[in-house]
Amino acid sequence: MAGRVAAGVSRLTGRGSGGVIGGRVILALSPDAAQQLATGRDVMVVSGTNGKTTTTSLLVAAIRVADPVDSNANGANTPAGVVTALADGFSAHVVLEVDEGWLPWTVAQVAPSTAVLLNLSRDQLSRHHEVGRLASAWREALTGVDTVVANVDDPAVTWSALAAGRPVWVAAGQRWTEDSLACPRCGRLFRRDDAIWACVCGLHRPDPDWWLEGDDLVSRDRRLRLALTLPGAHNRANAAMAVAAAASRGVDPAAAVAALHDIDDIGGRYVRRRLGTHEVRLLLAKNPAGWLEIVELVRDGGNPLVLAFNSDGVDGRDPSWLYDVSFRGLAGREIVVIGRRAADLRVRLELDGLAPTVIVGGVREALAAIPPGPVDLLANYTAFQEARRELAHVR
């Protein structure tokens, strides 16, 4: 009751959705609330550096083919958000998005039947540990989890998942490999041949149970067409993970795939908003791996680009990872840069031979410098949320 009152006050005063403050109140009054609220419920957790929110939403849609399910759809994925999601519903099935740093705590508290592990890469350099340390913490936490659905193309994820009782391997791909050059078991460099990776210590890429062939999701006994509305190879990978996870819990894979078809909005990602003479598509890119995927997504388009970049709060204070990302795929495009760290991004773009225009202000000011027509807006987390609020009341 106290948590719900706090959440309601937060919403009424416009300070947020209440998903965080409500959970903090609950945990302050009852530190073991997550354990109590998860008792007797089938809990699945989804974690990774990128794709958590999308994969969680897709998995929820797939599970709902067979059963009602609760989830933290608002994206609040630390202990407060986890507790709020558990407290807000009464379904026997729960799917929780979990911050990668808080996965060990969540596993210890809610004893999930299944963990869905997407990827591990550098993110929020001022807050998170090194990728290897996160992988070690995951591996230790997963020893008591019955089923782990893991991206076999990420060595850190694979090494962590090998500690679980029953790994389900999904070849979801790994475009960003700069954080998985060395073996998490022994520290030697991997030998790589296309998607295959192996180390002299014996750690190697297992044979996948599910894999992608273009738009098809394939297993040893079936082939399913992923006719997604969500764009890009990274979303096909997210869908593959979600379908494999749903199938591990007894959902018919064909029905799960069909449930994903019409999903076109994940917390504002990929939404299009018309503002005056412009149609703006919102795209989120939080870290090197995320920027690489989004740059690839817009590479072949001709739309002008607005790049919004901050280093506030959950963005992480250290933006030096910009120099790990290649922006050469945006050559020849009209680019406008906004945000409180626009100067940093401008310097990075100029080093790749691009000539962005820096605008002081928000989305409206940026669009004023762009000819009428479609525009792609690429933003990191707080800049993305600011753009969402600015465009919230336009069509």
Side-chain angles (χ1 to χ4, degrees):
M1 288 291 290
R4 287 173 179 162
V5 169
V9 171
S10 178
R11 287 190 292 268
L12 287 172
T13 57
R15 297 187 179 187
S17 66
V20 173
I21 187 60
R24 287 177 178 171
V25 169
I26 293 171
L27 284 169
L29 296 173
S30 178
D32 62 346
Q35 183 178 356
Q36 294 185 49
L37 293 165
T39 299
R41 304 165 81 177
D42 178 45
V43 180
M44 304 176 74
V45 295
V46 179
S47 194
T49 307
N50 291 296
K52 294 185 292 292
T53 302
T54 299
T55 304
T56 299
S57 297
L58 297 176
L59 179 55
V60 167
I63 294 292
R64 280 181 177 153
V65 168
D67 295 292
V69 59
D70 295 325
S71 184
N72 48 345
N74 59 8
N77 57 23
T78 57
V82 165
V83 169
T84 297
L86 290 168
D88 280 350
F90 304 95
S91 297
H93 299 274
V94 185
V95 176
L96 296 172
E97 173 189 340
V98 180
D99 176 88
E100 59 271 30
W102 286 103
L103 181 66
W105 179 91
T106 305
V107 168
Q109 292 293 314
V110 307
S113 63
T114 305
V116 183
L117 309 179
L118 307 175
N119 46 66
L120 281 173
S121 66
R122 67 193 74 174
D123 182 61
Q124 297 186 36
L125 302 182
S126 59
R127 182 174 77 90
H128 269 316
H129 303 303
E130 291 294 330
V131 172
R133 187 170 177 183
L134 278 174
S136 296
W138 276 21
R139 183 177 171 86
E140 184 177 348
L142 293 169
T143 55
V145 178
D146 177 54
T147 302
V148 172
V149 180
N151 180 5
V152 75
D153 292 317
D154 188 320
V157 166
T158 300
W159 183 65
S160 302
L162 284 168
R166 184 172 69 93
V168 176
W169 302 118
V170 183
Q174 187 192 38
R175 196 187 305 273
W176 173 264
T177 60
E178 296 302 308
D179 292 309
S180 58
L181 301 176
C183 176
R185 175 190 284 172
C186 72
R188 296 182 179 92
L189 291 178
F190 281 119
R191 301 190 305 271
R192 286 185 176 268
D193 182 11
D194 293 327
I196 306 302
W197 53 266
C199 181
V200 294
C201 73
L203 183 64
H204 65 278
R205 180 184 187 265
D207 293 332
D209 301 297
W210 296 84
W211 61 94
L212 289 163
E213 293 181 4
D215 289 334
D216 288 350
L217 176 60
V218 185
S219 69
R220 293 185 175 90
D221 61 353
R222 64 178 66 213
R223 177 180 293 267
L224 302 165
R225 175 56 59 95
L226 288 176
L228 301 177
T229 302
L230 295 175
H234 60 292
N235 280 319
R236 289 194 293 276
N238 293 331
M241 297 294 295
V243 173
S248 75
R249 306 309 299 161
V251 177
D252 174 48
V257 166
L260 311 186
H261 176 267
D262 294 329
I263 298 174
D264 60 359
D265 176 3
I266 305 292
R269 299 160 178 82
Y270 318 108
V271 162
R272 299 176 188 270
R273 291 285 184 265
R274 178 164 292 280
L275 182 59
T277 58
H278 298 92
E279 184 181 64
V280 183
R281 180 172 63 160
L282 292 169
L283 301 168
L284 175 67
K286 303 184 295 182
N287 48 46
W291 277 95
L292 186 65
E293 293 291 348
I294 296 301
V295 167
E296 184 66 24
L297 177 65
V298 304
R299 176 191 294 270
D300 296 328
N303 297 343
L305 304 171
V306 176
L307 274 57
F309 193 72
N310 296 339
S311 61
D312 304 340
V314 294
D315 298 321
R317 297 187 302 277
D318 181 356
S320 62
W321 54 259
L322 276 173
Y323 293 86
D324 297 327
V325 183
S326 173
F327 291 93
R328 292 188 178 92
L330 304 181
R333 306 286 284 279
E334 181 176 2
I335 301 175
V336 174
V337 177
I338 60 175
R340 284 176 287 285
R341 299 302 289 263
D344 296 81
L345 185 54
R346 176 184 178 178
V347 171
R348 179 67 190 94
L349 294 171
E350 289 177 344
L351 287 174
D352 271 349
L354 307 178
T357 300
V358 175
I359 297 292
V360 176
V363 177
R364 294 173 186 270
E365 288 79 8
L367 294 178
I370 296 174
V375 177
D376 287 329
L377 188 150
L378 289 59
N380 66 340
Y381 194 81
T382 63
F384 180 86
Q385 298 301 336
E386 289 169 4
R388 281 188 72 191
R389 288 191 291 271
E390 191 170 348
L391 297 172
H393 303 296
V394 300
R395 299 186 64 184

